[in-house]
Amino acid sequence: MIKLFIKALKVAKFKTIIYLLLSFISCFTYFAPIFLTYLLYDKMEQFLFNEISLPTVIIVLVLFYSIPFINSIFINQIKSIIRRSIIIKVNEDISQTFYDKLKRIPYERFESKEDFDDFYFVRETVVPSIVYNSLWIVDFVSAIITFVITLSFLLTIHYLLVIVATLLAIPYVFINRKFNLDVYYKNYRELKEIRQTNYLYYLLTNKDNKKEMIIDNSNSKFTNLWEKNYNSINKASIKIRRKTTYIIALYDFIYSLIEVTCIFLFFYLNKNEQINNTIFLAIVMTFGNISSSVLSLSFNITNYKVLSLNIKKFEEFKNYKEENVALSKEINDIELKNVSYKYLNNETNTLNDISLQLKKGYKYAIVGENGSGKSTLCKIIAGVLNITNGKILINEKEDNIAKDDVVYVMQSGFKYETTILENITYGDINAKVDIERVNMILDLLGLKEYVDSLPNKLNSQLGELKDNASFLSGGQWQKITIARALYNKNCKLIILDEPTSSMDPISENKFLNNVMPLLNDKIVIFITHHLKITSLVDKIIYMENGNIAEYGDSRELLNKKGKYFKLYHYEVSLLKR
């Protein structure tokens, strides 16, 4: 908890100190109305008996109305504004820590549903809780001070008042603690369902998905699934809200019980004495304050447990094993020696005892049936996945490939809804934007004429985030993702997963003729079934059941009349039809 306060000091030192001072001042101004009420009644009584002049009464009246006003409007409102400002700064800091850690966690952790749900829970529940309670220690100490001052005042009347007020608040502590813990664990249990509901909502509202749903008539099915999940979550939320209503009613009952019991006890203890009206009014107001101060302290105590759980969860997240970060280097060859890989929670290997050497300046095509291990092999080579067994050698030394040295273009590349220029130059975030290179790549891919026809050319907005944005076809988006890969001239390894799958034959031919020469100084891997590509590469890797079944150039494999031969002639027969 102290670390949270130190973090608040670190990111907003001046504002945190001001908040601390105002909190302690408000502890004492909390009782100003009691003192001023007592003083006002006393002075009014003296004025009625001509013991003091009118100006004195006016001064007390001004104090009576101005000090509570200052406390309420200035101190509390300024505290609220400063608190909000501090929370924003702490949120920036903790969120940055979260995302910095997230990007260093190995990719395979995201393949695990349990880990993914943990990450989601940390982002959606843990981080907001920690951020909101970053000033918990200040609020807790303030509550203690207010509580002690209140008890001290009651103690001057009778010690039994202190005991009764404290005992009556104890049930609140236990009830609130249990309720907060129930909500915490409920949120964790429902996390998977909430994530599924959000995913279904995305499917139903995304333009591209909507188009496919209309075509295959699946919209109603996904709508029903979303409604089912949404209603289930709502039922649980309504149950919590109902429980919250009961808890608040119980709080109010306890609050009133403390106040009434203390007043009754006060009369009982003073049943044989005459009670001054002024003292009685001050005491009644004190009893109201003892209720709120006890409940405020109780709330901070019960909140401690949930906050501790969230801090523990965040520390566990920060202690996740990170992937090894390799430095960028010149790469002449990459060699896999007896490499095997098994996904988390899988019983069998996806890759088995793979040995393969990739050389600079060579182009490779990985082919095979779906599920044969093509994409997994490429993720291993790119350093996205960490091998289960075996070795990876770079320039004959055991090492990992640096992320800056790899460009991996997925079959459905990510569509950044930014400008065309930003979409392409994200491929090399460390370099200064080279407009000439961007235009050259667009020209090679056959996109320059289209881009130049747009009103804002390279600065034209893509997607749906802004008005007047341009919409691209599937083939055009594929060219943009390839342009992003080609723009990064410093990369040493390029992996292209079905790079021409959305292109027409003319665009595909232009791509292969124009782009291939740009890749001569790199290691290039294609995941493809297109005969045009396999005929242009230096080596073909045929994958089957997680093994390399065949390896060689197109002529060698055709002469073997093995698996690649069958695949080749099957595709030729389809083209003839």
Side-chain angles (χ1 to χ4, degrees):
M1 308 306 172
I2 295 175
K3 287 182 180 179
L4 275 179
F5 177 68
I6 292 172
K7 184 174 286 292
L9 274 173
K10 181 181 176 183
V11 298
K13 185 177 181 179
F14 177 74
K15 290 179 180 177
T16 305
I17 291 172
I18 296 297
Y19 182 84
L20 181 66
L21 292 173
L22 289 175
S23 296
F24 291 152
I25 291 171
S26 65
C27 292
F28 297 96
T29 57
Y30 188 72
F31 288 92
I34 299 172
F35 172 75
L36 290 171
T37 301
Y38 181 85
L39 183 64
L40 178 62
Y41 272 75
D42 185 55
K43 296 302 178 185
M44 287 292 288
E45 191 174 7
Q46 291 179 28
F47 175 72
L48 291 173
F49 288 100
N50 297 318
E51 295 178 5
I52 57 171
S53 61
L54 181 62
T56 305
V57 176
I58 293 172
I59 291 172
V60 174
L61 275 170
V62 169
L63 288 173
F64 180 80
Y65 286 105
S66 62
I67 291 181
F69 176 81
I70 291 170
N71 181 52
S72 174
I73 301 300
F74 287 95
I75 296 180
N76 292 336
Q77 290 300 320
I78 291 171
K79 267 183 66 181
S80 178
I81 293 168
I82 292 174
R83 182 188 183 89
R84 197 176 300 117
S85 177
I86 294 169
I87 284 174
I88 289 170
K89 288 290 185 183
V90 173
N91 183 50
E92 289 175 2
D93 187 78
I94 293 180
S95 295
Q96 187 66 49
T97 301
F98 171 76
Y99 288 113
D100 284 345
K101 177 66 182 182
L102 198 66
K103 69 183 181 183
R104 295 195 298 270
I105 293 175
Y107 173 79
E108 55 255 37
R109 306 302 302 191
F110 293 87
E111 297 280 351
S112 165
K113 292 180 181 178
E114 291 78 13
D115 287 335
F116 190 84
D117 283 342
D118 269 353
F119 302 154
Y120 189 86
F121 183 70
V122 170
R123 188 191 73 183
E124 296 296 319
T125 301
V126 172
V127 169
S129 171
I130 292 173
V131 168
Y132 182 77
N133 292 288
S134 53
L135 295 168
W136 177 87
I137 191 70
V138 178
D139 298 334
F140 181 61
V141 172
S142 299
I144 290 175
I145 293 172
T146 305
F147 181 66
V148 170
I149 294 172
T150 307
L151 292 185
S152 300
F153 183 82
L154 287 179
L155 196 59
T156 61
I157 303 170
H158 202 284
Y159 73 91
L160 282 177
L161 293 173
V162 176
I163 295 172
V164 170
T166 307
L167 288 176
L168 286 172
I170 291 175
Y172 171 87
V173 176
F174 288 102
I175 294 168
N176 197 38
R177 182 179 184 275
K178 186 178 185 308
F179 175 71
N180 285 342
L181 289 175
D182 285 347
V183 171
Y184 176 85
Y185 290 119
K186 169 204 153 291
N187 288 339
Y188 190 75
R189 286 192 302 271
E190 288 184 349
L191 191 65
K192 184 177 179 181
E193 199 169 14
I194 291 170
R195 185 164 57 80
Q196 288 173 346
T197 305
N198 291 341
Y199 171 70
L200 290 169
Y201 180 79
Y202 167 76
L203 285 181
L204 291 166
T205 55
N206 181 268
K207 178 175 69 69
D208 294 332
N209 297 333
K210 195 74 175 176
K211 178 174 62 179
E212 292 188 27
M213 286 180 183
I214 292 171
I215 293 170
D216 59 22
N217 200 29
S218 61
N219 191 75
S220 58
K221 178 183 176 181
F222 285 105
T223 301
N224 290 337
L225 281 173
W226 176 80
E227 285 179 352
K228 182 180 177 182
N229 280 30
Y230 183 76
N231 289 335
S232 175
I233 293 169
N234 270 350
K235 283 180 183 178
S237 298
I238 290 169
K239 188 176 179 181
I240 286 293
R241 287 195 192 102
R242 191 183 298 123
K243 197 171 182 179
T244 303
T245 304
Y246 297 151
I247 294 291
I248 291 171
L250 184 60
Y251 295 166
D252 291 339
F253 174 74
I254 294 172
Y255 187 101
S256 302
L257 186 63
I258 293 172
E259 188 171 348
V260 171
T261 305
C262 286
I263 292 172
F264 177 79
L265 184 60
F266 172 76
F267 275 110
Y268 178 77
L269 294 171
N270 296 275
K271 61 184 177 181
N272 296 322
E273 299 178 18
Q274 187 175 359
I275 301 171
N276 183 285
N277 290 334
T278 307
I279 295 175
F280 173 69
L281 183 61
I283 288 171
V284 169
M285 293 179 69
T286 305
F287 291 154
N289 282 0
I290 185 64
S291 301
S292 58
S293 64
V294 166
L295 297 182
S296 174
L297 181 61
S298 302
F299 176 79
N300 280 281
I301 292 171
T302 55
N303 203 32
Y304 173 82
K305 179 61 179 178
V306 173
L307 182 56
S308 299
L309 288 171
N310 283 320
I311 291 173
K312 182 182 177 183
K313 193 73 178 176
F314 193 68
E315 290 302 317
E316 288 173 359
F317 167 76
K318 285 166 62 178
N319 290 328
Y320 262 91
K321 184 180 177 181
E322 298 180 4
E323 60 184 353
N324 297 323
V325 179
L327 298 175
S328 178
K329 62 182 78 65
E330 189 61 38
I331 298 176
N332 295 314
D333 65 84
I334 301 172
E335 185 175 3
L336 280 66
K337 281 191 171 183
N338 307 113
V339 167
S340 297
Y341 181 77
K342 183 174 73 171
Y343 283 98
L344 291 173
N345 302 323
N346 278 17
E347 294 182 1
T348 58
N349 287 344
T350 303
L351 296 180
N352 301 293
D353 200 31
I354 299 290
S355 292
L356 176 68
Q357 189 172 31
L358 307 169
K359 294 182 179 180
K360 178 181 177 180
Y362 279 66
K363 300 176 182 68
Y364 301 85
I366 300 179
V367 299
E369 296 180 5
N370 292 335
S372 59
K374 301 187 297 295
S375 295
T376 302
L377 176 59
C378 286
K379 288 173 184 175
I380 291 288
I381 295 168
V384 176
L385 298 175
N386 296 315
I387 60 176
T388 305
N389 293 305
K391 292 180 180 180
I392 296 180
L393 306 180
I394 296 177
N395 301 333
E396 300 182 353
K397 293 182 180 179
E398 194 167 351
D399 199 356
N400 294 313
I401 192 166
K403 294 292 182 287
D404 291 341
D405 292 338
V406 184
V407 171
Y408 195 147
V409 179
M410 305 288 184
Q411 187 171 352
S412 54
F414 194 81
K415 301 174 182 178
Y416 296 108
E417 297 198 1
T418 57
T419 66
I420 293 173
L421 183 63
E422 288 169 333
N423 254 284
I424 294 170
T425 55
Y426 281 155
D428 191 1
I429 59 174
N430 298 317
K432 185 179 178 181
V433 175
D434 186 344
I435 299 295
E436 288 186 12
R437 183 171 177 82
V438 171
N439 284 319
M440 181 268 290
I441 292 169
L442 288 174
D443 189 41
L444 290 176
L445 292 172
L447 268 181
K448 191 171 188 309
E449 186 178 342
Y450 171 75
V451 172
D452 287 343
S453 71
L454 298 173
N456 295 317
K457 297 182 170 52
L458 285 172
N459 292 315
S460 298
Q461 180 75 27
L462 300 178
E464 303 173 16
L465 285 179
K466 295 184 180 179
D467 295 335
N468 302 319
S470 299
F471 295 95
L472 301 183
S473 67
Q476 288 172 322
W477 267 116
Q478 192 166 42
K479 289 177 182 179
I480 290 290
T481 59
I482 293 170
R484 192 184 305 146
L486 297 176
Y487 179 78
N488 190 342
K489 57 187 175 184
N490 295 318
C491 74
K492 285 82 176 181
L493 169 66
I494 292 184
I495 300 173
L496 301 164
D497 189 350
E498 295 287 4
T500 61
S501 61
S502 297
M503 295 184 193
D504 58 77
I506 296 173
S507 296
E508 180 184 22
N509 193 59
K510 189 172 185 178
F511 164 77
L512 294 173
N513 291 335
N514 293 342
V515 172
M516 282 293 197
L518 290 177
L519 308 176
N520 288 334
D521 62 337
K522 306 178 189 301
I523 299 172
V524 183
I525 299 174
F526 293 92
I527 301 177
T528 185
H529 294 104
H530 286 224
L531 296 177
K532 182 73 174 176
I533 294 177
T534 58
S535 64
L536 294 174
V537 300
D538 300 294
K539 297 292 179 181
I540 297 167
I541 303 160
Y542 190 99
M543 296 292 297
E544 185 179 58
N545 298 325
N547 299 288
I548 296 178
E550 293 181 1
Y551 178 82
D553 61 36
S554 182
R555 185 180 296 276
E556 288 173 344
L557 296 186
L558 287 174
N559 289 336
K560 282 184 178 180
K561 295 186 178 180
K563 298 179 183 301
Y564 175 73
F565 176 84
K566 291 179 181 178
L567 179 68
Y568 181 91
H569 282 283
Y570 178 73
E571 189 167 346
V572 168
S573 67
L574 290 177
L575 290 173
K576 286 180 179 179
R577 292 177 192 174

